[in-house]
């Protein structure tokens, strides 16, 4: 699931999953970061 945002455009992910395009774009950004950056973004 985490590989999809890195491989597909955010708009495609948004359509496939039925989520807001901004959410899909944020996931794509997070997928390109390392785990520590992801964890720090949750707080």
């Amino acid at each position: 699931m985490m590989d999809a945002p890195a491989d597909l455009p955010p708009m495609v992910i948004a359509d496939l999953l039925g989520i807001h395009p901004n959410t899909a774009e944020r996931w794509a950004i997070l997928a390109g970061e390392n785990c520590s950056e992801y964890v720090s973004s949750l707080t």
Side-chain angles (χ1 to χ4, degrees):
M1 184 72 154
M2 286 303 294
D3 291 337
D7 296 336
L8 297 172
M11 288 304 296
V12 173
I13 297 296
D15 286 342
L16 288 174
L17 299 179
I19 60 175
H20 194 276
N22 290 342
T23 301
E25 186 167 346
R26 181 70 181 144
W27 285 3
I29 292 167
L30 291 174
E33 297 176 350
N34 67 36
C35 292
S36 63
E37 291 170 337
Y38 170 74
V39 171
S40 69
S41 73
L42 296 177
T43 59

